Amino acid sequence: MAGRLRATLPAPGVRGTCAIRATTLNARACPAPALPLMESPALLTLAEPPTTARPLATYGVVLGSRHVVRLLGGTLIGRLPNSMVPVGLVLWITGGGGTLAFAGTLAALYGLASALSQPVKGRLMDRYGQTRVSTPAVLLNAGCLAALPLIRACGHPAAVTGVVGLAGLVTPPLEAGLRALWPTVLPDFGRRRVVQALDTGSQGLLYIAGPLLASWLATTHGPDTALAATAALGLVGTAVVLTAAPSQAWRPASGVTERGRLMSVGLVLLLTAMAGTGFAFGAMNVWAAGMAATHGQAMLCGLLPAVFSTGSFLGSLIYARRAWPGTTKSQLITTSALFLLGWSPLLAQPDPRTALALAAIPGLFFTLIITNGFHTVDALASVSRTTEGYSWLILSVGTGQAAGTAFAATLAAHPDVLAALPTGGAATALTILVLARRKLGPGRRLGRHRRTRQEGHPRRTPPPTRWRAVGTRSLLSASTGCERALRALAGHARGNRRRRRRGPLDHPAARLPYRAHGLL
């Protein structure tokens, strides 16, 4: 059979009828193109496609990939102001004779404005690219922070509030932009999983190093210098990211309509669950302050969040070390359950040493929840609006954190209730995820959020209900009846016109010869 029928594969760049041909033993064969250093084309049709080894996903390989260290380091430097500004504002206002309440209000305003503007900046980035959005944002942000020492802390409160609010609104969306760059920099999902876990875990260290750096600069060189240094760090970090080749070449997915709906039931439930996780994190800070007040050890106010963040970083290292079984959905639910179990021992109001040891347990799983949350956004959000989807997740976590801090502050006089608030937030997140497990990936069918019309996949129409089906049949019957009536009227008019015409045989005398021969 191989001698009588032979199918050859075309060589690259070769066209013509000789590319695919069937020859017999006695037929004259068309000369095949030369294939140097390759096997016979007849064997290539029967052999299995060559298999390639899966790329390694170790720390050294991932960090040694091109642009990874630059993007990761630049983003961490550029996001340092997010943790330095609140502390710098408090020290700047109180050092200038202002009240602590006004300083706390400014710090909360900066964080709230930065979080609420994330989806808008993400949508603009999906439409116009990263450079056109982050460049003016970081320039305005740095200008506002540098202008605060010129206004002075004892200046007009309305002017100071306006400048701080504007600085929060225009914070550059570095985290969402970096998440959108990873698929381009690291196409392999295993390596991307490692770097995203490292990215999420290292962000917890920012909230340890940032306040310490701001406090040291304000104490050593003055609060004005601390604000100026914060603005400079934001400029340097953003410039490092924006001048990288992946950031300059990044564009949203081509061929996908941007008018598609971003929000779906699964994505809304996911964001709500992430808000519950953020609620637990925000309530933990007030619980740490309550532990410090109860035991008379002021260091616990900073040590407990630091231990939690350290556990978060260690969890990211453990998670990125190997590939874990299960889908993204199952890992998200499992880590949320472990996050809830990690908070349970703290309900017993342990002593300070035991609390320090136990605070690292829920931190181990905090990074894993956020990382799998971003992976779930990849499966649920539209291809052309991934940055906006990441921004909504960041907003949900930040909003939940602010709500947890505010709600716990109102219950600061009840230590037992404070210890239960982080557990309540984690339990709420787990309950929502369990109830929404059918709406989350990865077994979700590709619908209008993933398929494009140019690929030949029209949008799926929902199944018709009873009344919708009845209405559709009625409209079809009415349209069919109208069409038949119009055709009947057209045929009747056409017949009238034909009857009015006199053909060559209409006259009786013209029909006589034909009737004689029996033709009529």
Side-chain angles (χ1 to χ4, degrees), residues 179-200:
R179 297 282 178 175
L181 289 178
W182 287 136
T184 305
V185 179
L186 297 173
D188 179 64
F189 178 76
R191 296 185 179 183
R192 191 162 65 247
R193 181 183 61 85
V194 172
V195 76
Q196 286 181 346
L198 293 176
D199 181 17
T200 306

Side-chain angles (χ1 to χ4, degrees), residues 98-445:
T99 62
L100 183 59
F102 180 59
T105 302
L106 290 179
L109 175 63
Y110 183 86
L112 185 62
S114 176
L116 292 178
S117 60
Q118 285 289 334
V120 177
K121 291 178 288 190
R123 181 67 185 275
L124 293 175
M125 188 177 293
D126 280 332
R127 180 172 297 181
Y128 301 107
Q130 297 191 359
T131 305
R132 295 183 179 181
V133 177
S134 296
T135 300
V138 70
L139 292 177
L140 288 174
N141 178 266
C144 291
L145 294 179
L148 287 176
L150 302 178
I151 302 175
R152 297 182 179 277
C154 57
H156 200 281
V160 176
T161 304
V163 173
V164 171
L166 179 60
L169 287 175
V170 295
T171 51
L174 294 178
E175 183 179 2
L178 181 64
R179 297 282 178 175
L181 289 178
W182 287 136
T184 305
V185 179
L186 297 173
D188 179 64
F189 178 76
R191 296 185 179 183
R192 191 162 65 247
R193 181 183 61 85
V194 172
V195 76
Q196 286 181 346
L198 293 176
D199 181 17
T200 306
S202 58
Q203 289 176 13
L205 301 179
L206 294 179
Y207 293 93
I208 301 176
L212 293 177
L213 180 59
S215 302
W216 176 76
L217 289 174
T219 304
T220 307
H221 303 284
D224 294 348
T225 305
L227 290 177
T230 301
L233 286 174
L235 280 173
V236 171
T238 307
V240 170
V241 174
L242 294 182
T243 53
S247 179
Q248 293 182 348
W250 183 86
R251 293 294 183 273
S254 59
V256 181
T257 176
E258 297 184 359
R259 296 182 180 180
R261 187 180 62 180
L262 172 66
M263 290 298 172
S264 60
V265 177
L267 187 57
V268 171
L269 293 175
L270 173 67
L271 297 179
T272 307
M274 292 296 104
T277 305
F279 184 93
F281 180 67
M284 183 264 301
N285 295 321
V286 183
W287 168 75
M291 287 284 293
T294 301
H295 297 278
Q297 300 180 12
M299 293 183 61
L300 291 176
C301 186
L303 283 178
L304 287 173
V307 171
F308 180 89
S309 299
T310 304
S312 177
F313 181 70
L314 293 177
S316 66
L317 295 180
I318 297 173
Y319 178 74
R321 187 174 181 83
R322 60 182 295 268
W324 297 89
T327 61
T328 302
K329 176 177 62 177
S330 62
Q331 290 184 8
L332 180 61
I333 296 176
T334 303
T335 52
S336 297
L338 295 175
F339 185 67
L340 173 60
L341 292 177
W343 286 113
S344 300
L346 298 176
L347 294 174
Q349 291 290 331
D351 58 276
R353 292 185 179 180
T354 307
L356 286 175
L358 294 177
I361 298 178
L364 290 172
F365 307 104
F366 181 74
T367 297
L368 312 187
I369 296 174
I370 303 300
T371 302
N372 287 293
F374 278 110
H375 292 163
T376 309
V377 170
D378 287 334
L380 298 178
S382 173
V383 178
S384 62
R385 300 173 69 176
T386 52
T387 309
E388 185 181 358
Y390 298 150
S391 302
W392 277 106
L393 191 143
I394 297 170
L395 172 61
S396 64
V397 175
T399 304
Q401 179 181 351
T405 303
F407 187 71
T410 60
L411 302 174
H414 306 279
D416 297 336
V417 179
L418 282 181
L421 287 180
T423 307
T428 303
L430 177 61
T431 303
I432 296 174
L433 290 175
V434 171
L435 295 177
R437 62 187 182 276
R438 295 185 179 181
K439 300 293 184 180
L440 306 177
R444 181 177 180 268
R445 291 184 178 181

